Amino acid sequence: MSDSSTMNSTVTRIGDILDARGEPPWSETIIDDGRNKVTLIASGPGHSNDAHVHPDFNEWWLVMKGELEWQVGDYPAVRAKVGDIVMSPAGTRHLITTVSDHTSLRLAVSKYGSNHDIKGERGQLTAFPPETSPPNLVHTKLDDIVSSLGPATWS
């Protein structure tokens, strides 16, 4: 549950949320403006969300602390670390588990009014589509972007 003083603020201080919320698991919605929803999610080691599907939008996350494993659709599991971005395309089941030995923190970007009511089962594993450079459909590694674009200023 969000504190009304943090939701839709012009500036959100993550450290203040961490201090106020304490030990995981918890989630704090920081933007919910009728179009977008951004949530900060903290999970302890081994904790998973519920496997679910969002049929009408892509959901994506930025890993801010720890390491997490995503099962997205029927693709092989991906392991993401700080700075990595993971996306679940619309209509794909996703399950997220903290695999680090300490708390994980991720920023989730989804659609206003999203829910976890639609469950899904995993099918037979399918290989990722061929890729030659980031970003990729499901997992974009910060290390790959930096090595591809170099240390210079870029966006």
Side-chain angles (χ1 to χ4, degrees):
M1 181 127 236
S2 293
D3 177 331
S4 61
S5 66
T6 59
M7 190 161 46
N8 298 327
S9 297
T10 303
V11 175
T12 300
R13 290 181 174 78
I14 302 300
D16 291 348
I17 295 172
L18 294 173
D19 291 344
R21 295 306 300 252
E23 291 299 311
W26 54 261
S27 65
E28 177 86 15
T29 299
I30 54 180
I31 298 172
D32 198 346
D33 63 6
R35 192 174 111 191
N36 302 289
K37 184 174 182 180
V38 178
T39 307
L40 190 64
I41 303 167
S43 300
H47 183 262
S48 296
N49 69 335
D50 60 324
H52 61 278
V53 175
H54 301 293
D56 57 346
F57 65 92
N58 299 335
E59 185 172 25
W60 60 272
W61 305 264
L62 170 65
V63 179
M64 300 177 73
K65 180 181 177 185
E67 284 191 44
L68 298 113
E69 181 181 272
W70 268 262
Q71 292 179 12
V72 176
D74 296 332
Y75 295 122
V78 295
R79 194 172 185 136
K81 61 182 185 174
V82 173
D84 290 358
I85 297 171
V86 179
M87 184 186 72
S88 180
T92 58
R93 171 195 176 273
H94 49 281
L95 174 70
I96 307 164
T97 304
T98 298
V99 294
S100 53
D101 59 2
H102 58 279
T103 298
S104 68
L105 188 65
R106 65 189 183 273
L107 190 70
V109 179
S110 60
K111 176 182 161 185
Y112 168 79
S114 65
N115 64 52
H116 294 179
D117 294 344
I118 302 172
K119 307 304 178 191
E121 295 299 319
R122 208 155 180 201
Q124 184 173 347
L125 287 184
T126 304
F128 286 107
E131 300 162 350
T132 57
S133 63
N136 101 19
L137 176 65
V138 173
H139 184 199
T140 302
K141 297 178 182 179
L142 178 60
D143 292 344
D144 290 349
I145 292 172
V146 171
S147 67
S148 171
L149 298 175
T153 304
W154 46 265
S155 61

